[in-house]
Amino acid sequence: MAHALVSMVMKKLQDALVSKVMNKLGEEVYSIGGAQAELEKISSTFESIQALLNVAEIIQFHNESMQLWLKKLKEVAYDVEDLLEEMIPWPEPESSTDDGDDRQRMENQAWRWLFSLFTCCGLEDWIRLAHESWTDGDDADNRSIGDKRNFAQRIKEVSAKLDQIAADKSKFSFTEIHSFRGGSHPDKAEFQTSSLVDESQIHGRDEDRGTIISKLMSGSSCEEGRIHGISIVGVGGLGKTTLAQLICNDERVKSHFHKVLWVCVSDDFNVINLTKEIIKAAGGTSPPDSQLDSLQKQLIQTLQGKLFLIVLDDVWNDDSDRWEKLMLSLQRGAPGSKILVTTRSEKVANTCMPSAYMHELKGLSYDDSWLLFRTRAFAGRKVEDCRALEKIGREIVKNCKGVPLSLKVIGSVMRSKMTKQDWKDILESQTWEIRDIAKGILPALLLSYYNLPVHLKQCFAYCSVYPKDHLMEKDTLVKLWLAQGFIKPDGKREMEAIGGEYFDELLAQSLFQEVGYSYAVRCTIHDLLHDLIQFITKNECCIFENGKMDTSSVTVRHSSFIATRETSHIPAPLCHAKKLRTLLQPGHSEIDTIPDHLFQCARSLRAFDFRIKELPSSIGLLKHLRYLDLSDSEIVELPESVSSLRNLQTLKLNWCNCLERLPSGMSAMVHLRHLEIEGTRALKYLPEGLGRISSLRTLSRFIVGGHGGCKIGELKRLDSLQGKLQIDHLERVGSVDEAKEAQLENKSQLRLLSLNMSPDDALEMSGNGEVESVVEALRPSLANLEELEIRGYIGSKFPTWIGDSSFSNLVSLRLIDCNKCTQLPGLGRLPSLKYLEIKAGLVKRVGSEFYGKSSGGDINGVAFPKLEELEFNYMYELEEWELRLEDREIMPSLQSVRLSKCPKLKALLTHLPNSLTSLNISGCGEILWPLPNLPSLKTFEIYSLENTTYLPCGWKQLESLETLIISLCSKLRSLPDDLGQLKSLRSLQIFDCPELRSLPQGLCGLTCL
């Protein structure tokens, strides 16, 4: 990381030297004691060292003296950066006041012209710094001559340290390892492992899979009342987890075991936590007291008599006492139940699975290795180019020794290498010859890291601040990188977009492993890669766990603190870490507050992430703080001093359920880009003036103020808002003109918009007409909106814009608790709509108007052409649902229908489209049978049909049905005999049907059940 850090600091130094003539504070410092010459000398010395750093960072892996030299160099580089930021504070953006001062206005215009001129040269950041130094009296004009002399003295001290480091480089031979060329770079626009896997990306493990599955399915696992199983043992990177995933997803395994459970163990072997995870994976619920005895009894009850397979992935602990405690509650399953363990250690395998089969995983064969490498490295190349590179590629494959992780990572690296010479540089790098690498780090992984561009090295290495097995969210990483200054502006795109591209590049290089989540992009880092970056950032990044701290670690720059239930305070050494730039707390703790002296000491903090109940006012001392995350805290209010954090870019307060107010002076936080306050239920208003923070990109929730707080018109100037915007308490909007002032139609970068009223408070409005006019005036931008929600609407008519076909990208629409509307809007013309949920208690009929037909005539074409999911919920007056139109097709892509609490609905289900795969009917007592002919239906759920005494015949036509659930049908007495003709049925679940006495005999012949 030394090369990346020095490069970044050099850029800032050079920019500062270029722009110093426009910096009043800088001129004064430069004039004292020859500081200008010292800064120029520092820059020159860094430049002379920089050329050696690629080689030095490789030598350090087997040379402790080189490690120490690099450590000293990085310390000086950090000190220089801190000094620069203290000398030249961050700027104010354009003035947002309307004071009418002509002189000030002319001065601002001059600075804006200067900024636009230098943007072309990439010097915009430092012109901004010059601007603040010129205009900020508190930080510049009021500095004493002593302060300025202090700056000059510190510059000289840093220069002297760097001179000594430069002199010490003569002690090393930088020719013992030659580096490789960086080559071309493509120009392209809490982790837990899981059982999911993309089998198309796996090669060469069929034999291993077959052997283990045979062992799992053969004979009984119980000998003398003890469950046994199988261990997969092998070094890191061989694909133990991947093999276990393949086994879990094999149809033979899924059909043999009643339950297949996956639990990621890793190096935190806590019996209580593991027991909870197994209960959760099995579909059970942990008892509230979390005592081991209660948990074990619950687990026994959950698994009693069931044939199960439990996968314990990535096990490190060989404490036999802990294993005995865990295994006690796993003995009550059906005979044949098994446990599958993946581990690097044979000792662990013998401890957890005594007398069981141990499968030693080997490297891939050469042919399989070549296939895996070729899939990555040759993707998108012409055939002739692949042939030209094949000979070199095969030699690279030999160096990977059959390790899948190495093959995958180096293959991704080679994909960006365009020329034959680039490939030769990688093959001939002497990094392959390093065999004594710390912690077993593979040469291929080392090569992949050092082949990254400087900015990606910084971003990837920074991830070592997180512990192993931690789930990293893309959005969070990008904001942390931004806070640390790792993202390089290009003058065209948003910084967050550039950071997102960095993340995607690391993902494409296989350095990140994506974990699938619907609501956020998340990733993890393989253990070996984590070892690599931990070694590279040794003495810079540190993880403090279980209250243990090395007192010599107070010089670290980036740290995460892993608290336990017993941890009630932050360790004293951490509170005295003066040079700390990052302090994160993954997970939860019992720490109530932060001691004042932490913030008084760690003045260089850029990022702070903690769960607490109280934040001290000393937070205001952190002038460099750019990222503050207090999400999930029980904090009631923020101190007013938070408003003084002018450099803060991100403030995250999501799910702070006790938070009642924000600082009143937040309008001074002129650099704030992201204010996240989702799930803050106790927060009733936002401070006035928030609309002056024109830099805001994220404002997840806007609360319309009544007699105090923000009016909706403060949204007017926030046209850079992106992502999600939830507007609450629209009933407080005083007039149509006030609603128009928000100018939602100008916020074209929003993807999700939620317009909410509080029905209890909405009585303040004079009538339905006023409500409807206000919401009509809140017409959003139609261009890019993907999700729209209207909740608690008390008008009798929906706004006319809601069904506009110009909503070309709208994929999700929710109309919730719109209980005064008697007619649904015409939505069938929305071309991209995939999900639609409606809760409207007074609607009696869903007819042609819903599909887009109005009194003005018919709309030709298909109604709801892409709709896949449809829900009608709590529509107590709904009696009729028209599912046929003579002139056009309806919902040809529909896959899922849910009808809940529609007690008067008399729909003919026979008219549902044949594409349907899932049907859920709950609390709809007047549903008209017979059964529909739905050849694609796979899941049918029936709940709370209280007046139904029997189910109709005709089940044979549901030829694809796999799951049937019948529950809470209190009067149901019999099931039809032709249920036995559901040849595809795999699961039949019947709950709370007290009058049902028997099942049809034909069920015995269902082989898939």
Side-chain angles (χ1 to χ4, degrees), residues 924-956:
C924 302
E926 301 298 323
I927 287 289
L928 298 179
W929 307 99
L931 283 172
N933 180 17
L934 298 173
S936 302
L937 193 69
K938 292 187 175 182
T939 301
F940 193 179
E941 300 177 54
I942 301 172
Y943 299 95
S944 302
L945 301 189
E946 296 178 358
N947 297 322
T948 299
T949 58
Y950 70 94
L951 295 181
C953 296
W955 292 87
K956 182 179 180 180

Short mmCIF file of all heavy atoms in Angstrom, two decimals, residues 924-956:
data_model
loop_
_atom_site.label_atom_id
_atom_site.label_comp_id
_atom_site.label_asym_id
_atom_site.label_seq_id
_atom_site.Cartn_x
_atom_site.Cartn_y
_atom_site.Cartn_z
N CYS A 924 -60.79 -14.93 1.61
CA CYS A 924 -61.68 -14.59 0.49
C CYS A 924 -62.79 -15.63 0.45
O CYS A 924 -62.75 -16.58 -0.37
CB CYS A 924 -60.92 -14.53 -0.82
SG CYS A 924 -59.56 -13.35 -0.83
N GLY A 925 -63.78 -15.49 1.32
CA GLY A 925 -64.76 -16.54 1.52
C GLY A 925 -65.71 -16.76 0.37
O GLY A 925 -66.37 -17.80 0.28
N GLU A 926 -65.84 -15.80 -0.57
CA GLU A 926 -66.81 -15.93 -1.66
C GLU A 926 -66.17 -16.29 -2.99
O GLU A 926 -66.80 -16.16 -4.04
CB GLU A 926 -67.57 -14.59 -1.82
CG GLU A 926 -68.32 -14.16 -0.58
CD GLU A 926 -69.41 -15.14 -0.18
OE1 GLU A 926 -70.04 -15.70 -1.09
OE2 GLU A 926 -69.61 -15.36 1.03
N ILE A 927 -64.92 -16.75 -2.98
CA ILE A 927 -64.25 -17.14 -4.22
C ILE A 927 -65.08 -18.21 -4.92
O ILE A 927 -65.53 -19.17 -4.31
CB ILE A 927 -62.84 -17.69 -3.92
CG1 ILE A 927 -61.91 -16.53 -3.54
CG2 ILE A 927 -62.27 -18.43 -5.11
CD1 ILE A 927 -61.54 -15.62 -4.70
N LEU A 928 -65.25 -18.01 -6.24
CA LEU A 928 -66.05 -18.95 -7.03
C LEU A 928 -65.15 -20.01 -7.64
O LEU A 928 -64.18 -19.71 -8.31
CB LEU A 928 -66.81 -18.19 -8.13
CG LEU A 928 -67.82 -17.15 -7.64
CD1 LEU A 928 -68.46 -16.45 -8.83
CD2 LEU A 928 -68.89 -17.78 -6.77
N TRP A 929 -65.48 -21.27 -7.39
CA TRP A 929 -64.80 -22.37 -8.01
C TRP A 929 -65.53 -22.69 -9.32
O TRP A 929 -66.54 -22.07 -9.60
CB TRP A 929 -64.78 -23.57 -7.04
CG TRP A 929 -64.23 -23.22 -5.68
CD1 TRP A 929 -64.93 -22.93 -4.57
CD2 TRP A 929 -62.86 -23.06 -5.33
NE1 TRP A 929 -64.10 -22.62 -3.52
CE2 TRP A 929 -62.80 -22.69 -3.96
CE3 TRP A 929 -61.64 -23.19 -6.02
CZ2 TRP A 929 -61.62 -22.46 -3.28
CZ3 TRP A 929 -60.47 -22.96 -5.32
CH2 TRP A 929 -60.46 -22.60 -3.97
N PRO A 930 -65.17 -23.53 -10.21
CA PRO A 930 -64.17 -24.59 -10.05
C PRO A 930 -62.74 -24.09 -10.20
O PRO A 930 -62.50 -22.92 -10.45
CB PRO A 930 -64.53 -25.54 -11.20
CG PRO A 930 -65.05 -24.62 -12.26
CD PRO A 930 -65.85 -23.57 -11.52
N LEU A 931 -61.85 -25.07 -10.08
CA LEU A 931 -60.43 -24.74 -10.20
C LEU A 931 -60.10 -24.29 -11.61
O LEU A 931 -60.65 -24.79 -12.59
CB LEU A 931 -59.58 -25.97 -9.85
CG LEU A 931 -59.44 -26.29 -8.37
CD1 LEU A 931 -58.74 -27.62 -8.21
CD2 LEU A 931 -58.66 -25.20 -7.66
N PRO A 932 -59.18 -23.35 -11.71
CA PRO A 932 -58.74 -22.91 -13.04
C PRO A 932 -57.80 -23.93 -13.68
O PRO A 932 -57.18 -24.74 -12.99
CB PRO A 932 -58.01 -21.61 -12.74
CG PRO A 932 -57.46 -21.80 -11.36
CD PRO A 932 -58.49 -22.62 -10.63
N ASN A 933 -57.69 -23.85 -14.98
CA ASN A 933 -56.70 -24.67 -15.69
C ASN A 933 -55.41 -23.86 -15.78
O ASN A 933 -55.28 -22.99 -16.64
CB ASN A 933 -57.23 -25.02 -17.08
CG ASN A 933 -56.23 -25.87 -17.86
OD1 ASN A 933 -55.31 -26.43 -17.28
ND2 ASN A 933 -56.40 -25.95 -19.16
N LEU A 934 -54.51 -24.14 -14.87
CA LEU A 934 -53.25 -23.39 -14.79
C LEU A 934 -52.10 -24.38 -14.94
O LEU A 934 -51.57 -24.88 -13.94
CB LEU A 934 -53.16 -22.63 -13.47
CG LEU A 934 -54.24 -21.56 -13.24
CD1 LEU A 934 -54.14 -20.99 -11.82
CD2 LEU A 934 -54.13 -20.45 -14.27
N PRO A 935 -51.69 -24.67 -16.15
CA PRO A 935 -50.69 -25.72 -16.37
C PRO A 935 -49.31 -25.40 -15.82
O PRO A 935 -48.49 -26.30 -15.63
CB PRO A 935 -50.65 -25.84 -17.90
CG PRO A 935 -51.14 -24.52 -18.41
CD PRO A 935 -52.16 -24.07 -17.42
N SER A 936 -49.04 -24.11 -15.54
CA SER A 936 -47.70 -23.72 -15.05
C SER A 936 -47.67 -23.52 -13.54
O SER A 936 -46.60 -23.25 -12.98
CB SER A 936 -47.25 -22.43 -15.74
OG SER A 936 -47.21 -22.58 -17.15
N LEU A 937 -48.83 -23.64 -12.86
CA LEU A 937 -48.89 -23.35 -11.44
C LEU A 937 -48.06 -24.34 -10.63
O LEU A 937 -48.23 -25.55 -10.74
CB LEU A 937 -50.34 -23.39 -10.95
CG LEU A 937 -50.59 -22.81 -9.55
CD1 LEU A 937 -50.39 -21.29 -9.58
CD2 LEU A 937 -51.99 -23.15 -9.07
N LYS A 938 -47.15 -23.80 -9.79
CA LYS A 938 -46.28 -24.64 -8.96
C LYS A 938 -46.61 -24.53 -7.47
O LYS A 938 -46.35 -25.47 -6.72
CB LYS A 938 -44.81 -24.26 -9.20
CG LYS A 938 -44.31 -24.61 -10.59
CD LYS A 938 -42.82 -24.37 -10.70
CE LYS A 938 -42.31 -24.83 -12.07
NZ LYS A 938 -40.83 -24.65 -12.19
N THR A 939 -47.15 -23.40 -7.04
CA THR A 939 -47.46 -23.20 -5.63
C THR A 939 -48.89 -22.68 -5.49
O THR A 939 -49.25 -21.69 -6.12
CB THR A 939 -46.47 -22.19 -4.99
OG1 THR A 939 -45.14 -22.67 -5.13
CG2 THR A 939 -46.79 -22.01 -3.51
N PHE A 940 -49.69 -23.35 -4.64
CA PHE A 940 -51.07 -22.95 -4.39
C PHE A 940 -51.25 -22.91 -2.87
O PHE A 940 -51.09 -23.93 -2.19
CB PHE A 940 -52.04 -23.95 -5.03
CG PHE A 940 -53.48 -23.47 -5.10
CD1 PHE A 940 -54.45 -24.27 -5.68
CD2 PHE A 940 -53.87 -22.23 -4.61
CE1 PHE A 940 -55.76 -23.84 -5.77
CE2 PHE A 940 -55.17 -21.79 -4.69
CZ PHE A 940 -56.13 -22.60 -5.27
N GLU A 941 -51.57 -21.72 -2.33
CA GLU A 941 -51.74 -21.56 -0.89
C GLU A 941 -53.16 -21.08 -0.60
O GLU A 941 -53.63 -20.09 -1.19
CB GLU A 941 -50.73 -20.54 -0.35
CG GLU A 941 -49.27 -20.95 -0.57
CD GLU A 941 -48.29 -19.91 -0.10
OE1 GLU A 941 -48.36 -19.51 1.08
OE2 GLU A 941 -47.45 -19.47 -0.91
N ILE A 942 -53.84 -21.75 0.32
CA ILE A 942 -55.22 -21.43 0.68
C ILE A 942 -55.28 -21.21 2.19
O ILE A 942 -54.95 -22.11 2.97
CB ILE A 942 -56.17 -22.57 0.27
CG1 ILE A 942 -56.09 -22.83 -1.25
CG2 ILE A 942 -57.60 -22.25 0.68
CD1 ILE A 942 -56.85 -24.06 -1.68
N TYR A 943 -55.70 -20.00 2.61
CA TYR A 943 -55.75 -19.66 4.03
C TYR A 943 -57.12 -19.05 4.37
O TYR A 943 -57.71 -18.31 3.58
CB TYR A 943 -54.68 -18.63 4.40
CG TYR A 943 -53.26 -19.07 4.17
CD1 TYR A 943 -52.59 -18.73 2.99
CD2 TYR A 943 -52.56 -19.80 5.12
CE1 TYR A 943 -51.28 -19.11 2.77
CE2 TYR A 943 -51.24 -20.18 4.91
CZ TYR A 943 -50.61 -19.84 3.73
OH TYR A 943 -49.31 -20.21 3.52
N SER A 944 -57.60 -19.36 5.55
CA SER A 944 -58.73 -18.65 6.17
C SER A 944 -59.97 -18.59 5.28
O SER A 944 -60.62 -17.55 5.19
CB SER A 944 -58.29 -17.23 6.56
OG SER A 944 -57.20 -17.26 7.45
N LEU A 945 -60.30 -19.68 4.62
CA LEU A 945 -61.58 -19.75 3.91
C LEU A 945 -62.59 -20.34 4.91
O LEU A 945 -62.86 -21.55 4.93
CB LEU A 945 -61.46 -20.62 2.65
CG LEU A 945 -60.42 -20.16 1.61
CD1 LEU A 945 -60.55 -20.97 0.34
CD2 LEU A 945 -60.56 -18.67 1.31
N GLU A 946 -63.13 -19.49 5.75
CA GLU A 946 -63.85 -19.93 6.94
C GLU A 946 -65.16 -20.63 6.62
O GLU A 946 -65.66 -21.44 7.42
CB GLU A 946 -64.09 -18.72 7.86
CG GLU A 946 -62.80 -18.11 8.39
CD GLU A 946 -63.03 -16.90 9.25
OE1 GLU A 946 -64.22 -16.52 9.39
OE2 GLU A 946 -62.05 -16.33 9.78
N ASN A 947 -65.78 -20.32 5.50
CA ASN A 947 -67.07 -20.93 5.17
C ASN A 947 -66.95 -22.10 4.21
O ASN A 947 -67.96 -22.67 3.79
CB ASN A 947 -68.00 -19.87 4.56
CG ASN A 947 -68.31 -18.76 5.54
OD1 ASN A 947 -68.50 -19.02 6.73
ND2 ASN A 947 -68.37 -17.53 5.05
N THR A 948 -65.75 -22.46 3.86
CA THR A 948 -65.54 -23.54 2.89
C THR A 948 -65.54 -24.89 3.60
O THR A 948 -64.75 -25.12 4.53
CB THR A 948 -64.20 -23.34 2.16
OG1 THR A 948 -64.25 -22.09 1.46
CG2 THR A 948 -63.95 -24.46 1.17
N THR A 949 -66.44 -25.78 3.17
CA THR A 949 -66.52 -27.12 3.77
C THR A 949 -65.83 -28.17 2.91
O THR A 949 -65.49 -29.25 3.42
CB THR A 949 -67.98 -27.53 3.98
OG1 THR A 949 -68.67 -27.49 2.72
CG2 THR A 949 -68.66 -26.57 4.97
N TYR A 950 -65.63 -27.87 1.65
CA TYR A 950 -64.94 -28.82 0.77
C TYR A 950 -64.21 -28.05 -0.32
O TYR A 950 -64.53 -26.88 -0.60
CB TYR A 950 -65.95 -29.80 0.15
CG TYR A 950 -66.86 -29.14 -0.87
CD1 TYR A 950 -66.54 -29.16 -2.23
CD2 TYR A 950 -68.03 -28.50 -0.48
CE1 TYR A 950 -67.36 -28.55 -3.16
CE2 TYR A 950 -68.85 -27.88 -1.39
CZ TYR A 950 -68.52 -27.91 -2.74
OH TYR A 950 -69.33 -27.29 -3.67
N LEU A 951 -63.25 -28.68 -0.90
CA LEU A 951 -62.54 -28.12 -2.05
C LEU A 951 -63.03 -28.83 -3.31
O LEU A 951 -63.34 -30.02 -3.26
CB LEU A 951 -61.03 -28.31 -1.90
CG LEU A 951 -60.36 -27.54 -0.75
CD1 LEU A 951 -58.87 -27.81 -0.74
CD2 LEU A 951 -60.62 -26.04 -0.86
N PRO A 952 -63.09 -28.12 -4.42
CA PRO A 952 -63.65 -28.71 -5.64
C PRO A 952 -62.71 -29.74 -6.26
O PRO A 952 -61.54 -29.86 -5.88
CB PRO A 952 -63.80 -27.50 -6.56
CG PRO A 952 -62.70 -26.59 -6.12
CD PRO A 952 -62.63 -26.75 -4.62
N CYS A 953 -63.24 -30.48 -7.21
CA CYS A 953 -62.42 -31.41 -7.99
C CYS A 953 -61.75 -30.66 -9.13
O CYS A 953 -61.92 -29.46 -9.30
CB CYS A 953 -63.29 -32.54 -8.53
SG CYS A 953 -64.04 -33.57 -7.24
N GLY A 954 -61.00 -31.39 -9.92
CA GLY A 954 -60.31 -30.79 -11.06
C GLY A 954 -58.84 -30.54 -10.83
O GLY A 954 -58.21 -29.79 -11.57
N TRP A 955 -58.26 -31.15 -9.81
CA TRP A 955 -56.86 -30.92 -9.47
C TRP A 955 -55.90 -31.52 -10.49
O TRP A 955 -54.76 -31.09 -10.59
CB TRP A 955 -56.57 -31.48 -8.08
CG TRP A 955 -57.26 -30.72 -7.00
CD1 TRP A 955 -58.53 -30.92 -6.54
CD2 TRP A 955 -56.75 -29.60 -6.28
NE1 TRP A 955 -58.86 -30.01 -5.57
CE2 TRP A 955 -57.78 -29.18 -5.38
CE3 TRP A 955 -55.55 -28.91 -6.28
CZ2 TRP A 955 -57.62 -28.10 -4.52
CZ3 TRP A 955 -55.38 -27.85 -5.40
CH2 TRP A 955 -56.40 -27.44 -4.55
N LYS A 956 -56.36 -32.47 -11.26
CA LYS A 956 -55.50 -33.13 -12.24
C LYS A 956 -54.92 -32.14 -13.24
O LYS A 956 -53.78 -32.30 -13.71
CB LYS A 956 -56.28 -34.22 -12.95
CG LYS A 956 -55.44 -35.00 -13.96
CD LYS A 956 -56.28 -36.10 -14.61
CE LYS A 956 -55.42 -36.88 -15.63
NZ LYS A 956 -56.23 -37.96 -16.28
#
